[in-house]
Amino acid sequence: MRTVEEHLAAVLDGVEPLEPIDVGLGDVRGCVLAEDITAPWPLPPFDNSSMDGYAVRTADLADAADDAPVLLDVIEDLPAGHRPTRAVTAGTAVRIMTGAPLPEGADAVVPVEGTDAGVHAVKVTRQVEPGAFIRRAGDDVAAEETVMRAGQPLGPRQVALLAAVGRGSAVIRPRPRIVVLSTGSELVPAGQPLAPGLIPDSNSLMLAAAAFEAGAVPYRVGPVRDDEETLLDTLEDQLVRADLVITTGGVSAGAYDTVKAVLSRLGTVEFVRVAMQPGMPQGHGRLGPDETPIFTLPGNPVSAYVSFEIFVRPVIRRMLGFRQVHRPAVRARCLEGFTSPEGKMQFARGTLGVADGRYVVRPVGGQGSHVLGGLARSDALIAIPPAVTTVKAGSAVTVLRLDVDG
């Protein structure tokens, strides 16, 4: 029997980021940059106003006060997106909007709140220092500065910077295409009426959603009945659009465990037992001429989800090019005691919170591999080492945060 660490190392072995592609900025969020980005111009690209107000010469306002306003002629209105056509000279001002270029001759901006908001002439009651309320060219980014390096995850803030330095696209690691296939003659598509002995196919929906959350593009197939030829044909059809395949169900030691029976004959898929609860039966290997990775996960929904989190999600994140592929772990005080099987790492479901400035975690519901209600209420996995059989209330435990990307 493998340890969790041994199986994780085995499934990650040889996994590399997908080949880079050039993608429009509208589709790069959540991906990893595969090139360095250099700014062709400074940010801001020109001196501009940080306030709605008046571009002025500070020397003209040396004596400005509430009871002694300085009167200036307004020689131009300057909205954002327009260039100034006149220079500010002694006794004049330009009415300027936020983001508009600073006109020649001005060395500061007076906010409109320090004036009477005049249109043709303005009374200024506030003195300002040179440079006040001006955003200087290059204050943020210098021309030719490298603003992002390959390996940078791209979120909304990074997309904004890419656009600001003139990029309409970026070279990124593409999202892996994940085919999710559930097996079992007892399964019916979600939403259809049930007959005795049948259950809804929740696993394929759950795993497709988990793959999407991990950054992949999921394609859901199934349910596929327990028939070897049907399963083989389905896998063959799906490989053309898959960077990775996930099956769920049919990997135990039962008489009708079709996935194990079919894939065992291919010679490249290995079925092992992993010292963990839930999720002991695991399968992993490669299929087809492109050696597409495949994971065969247990059929019980909690086992399938925990197996995905511990083994499949890190592979997806590595294919995306992320350096950190695991969910972040924290130490927390366990609010309730429970038992754990000897010799197996248990991943108990729990809810994470904070009390007195420290993390606390509470186990959720029953810990059976079929308990979807408790899984849905959880936001953490409590990882109990194989040597620990009893977790006492108040003891410190390691918790994997399911609400934070890794």
Side-chain angles (χ1 to χ4, degrees):
M1 188 178 296
R2 281 182 181 169
T3 66
V4 169
E5 294 80 9
E6 288 169 344
H7 192 59
L8 180 59
V11 301
L12 283 171
D13 183 42
V15 176
E16 298 291 341
L18 299 181
E19 287 298 312
I21 58 174
D22 198 328
V23 175
L25 291 193
D27 296 316
V28 302
R29 185 184 64 82
C31 296
V32 173
L33 192 64
E35 62 171 330
D36 293 344
I37 303 294
T38 300
W41 52 63
L43 293 181
F46 48 81
D47 294 352
N48 68 91
S49 176
S50 67
M51 299 284 288
D52 291 342
Y54 297 84
V56 298
R57 297 169 69 247
T58 54
D60 288 341
L61 306 181
D63 298 321
D66 288 337
D67 57 356
V70 171
L71 183 65
L72 301 174
D73 290 330
V74 178
I75 58 173
E76 186 174 16
D77 259 2
L78 194 56
H82 290 254
R83 294 181 180 180
T85 62
R86 300 186 64 182
V88 173
T89 57
T92 68
V94 167
R95 192 162 73 140
I96 192 168
M97 302 300 115
T98 303
L102 191 72
E104 185 180 346
D107 64 353
V109 173
V110 177
V112 69
E113 293 82 2
T115 74
D116 67 349
V119 176
H120 302 294
V122 61
K123 292 179 179 178
V124 182
T125 57
R126 180 188 298 184
Q127 299 177 22
V128 290
E129 296 294 324
F133 304 106
I134 295 174
R135 297 185 290 217
R136 295 294 184 187
D139 272 353
D140 183 14
V141 172
E144 305 303 321
E145 179 181 343
T146 298
V147 295
M148 275 186 268
R149 297 284 186 184
Q152 168 74 54
L154 298 175
R157 299 178 299 279
Q158 290 76 33
V159 172
L161 180 56
L162 286 169
V165 298
R167 298 298 295 264
S169 66
V171 179
I172 53 93
R173 301 290 181 179
R175 300 177 185 276
R177 300 163 301 165
I178 311 296
V179 168
V180 179
L181 188 153
S182 56
T183 66
S185 297
E186 76 279 12
L187 300 176
V188 297
Q192 290 193 7
L194 292 182
L198 302 181
I199 59 173
D201 172 24
S202 60
N203 278 359
S204 67
L205 288 162
M206 173 184 68
L207 294 173
F212 179 82
E213 184 194 52
V217 178
Y219 299 100
R220 190 169 61 87
V221 181
V224 177
R225 69 181 186 274
D226 289 320
D227 177 81
E228 294 187 14
E229 293 305 316
T230 300
L231 177 59
L232 275 171
D233 290 344
T234 303
L235 285 172
E236 187 176 67
D237 289 344
Q238 294 300 318
L239 281 177
V240 69
R241 64 171 178 177
D243 296 306
L244 186 149
V245 176
I246 303 171
T247 71
T248 176
V251 295
S252 297
Y256 298 99
D257 286 330
T258 311
V259 173
K260 190 171 183 179
V262 168
L263 296 181
S264 292
R265 301 202 308 262
L266 300 182
T268 59
V269 181
E270 180 183 25
F271 293 90
V272 298
R273 295 196 305 160
V274 178
M276 63 186 287
Q277 187 185 65
M280 183 173 66
Q282 297 288 332
H284 172 259
R286 295 182 179 270
L287 290 180
D290 295 328
E291 296 191 337
T292 304
I294 182 171
F295 283 88
T296 64
L297 306 183
N300 281 319
V302 178
S303 298
Y305 178 78
V306 170
S307 299
F308 177 92
E309 281 291 329
I310 303 305
F311 302 123
V312 186
R313 194 176 193 279
V315 169
I316 293 174
R317 302 294 278 183
R318 181 167 287 181
M319 294 173 92
L320 276 162
F322 284 92
R323 295 189 182 98
Q324 173 55 262
V325 299
H326 302 290
R327 293 283 196 183
V330 297
R331 295 289 284 176
R333 180 168 57 88
C334 196
L335 297 178
E336 295 177 5
F338 61 95
T339 60
S340 186
E342 184 176 4
K344 295 181 181 179
M345 176 170 282
Q346 181 175 194
F347 294 97
R349 279 68 69 201
T351 56
L352 189 66
V354 176
D356 299 324
R358 295 179 55 196
Y359 284 117
V360 294
V361 66
R362 186 184 300 277
V364 174
Q367 295 299 324
S369 59
H370 64 290
V371 184
L372 269 176
L375 180 65
R377 295 193 301 273
S378 66
D379 61 8
L381 295 177
I382 309 169
I384 307 303
V388 176
T389 57
T390 301
V391 177
K392 296 181 179 179
S395 61
V397 292
T398 297
V399 176
L400 306 181
R401 298 190 60 177
L402 301 178
D403 59 343
V404 179
D405 281 343

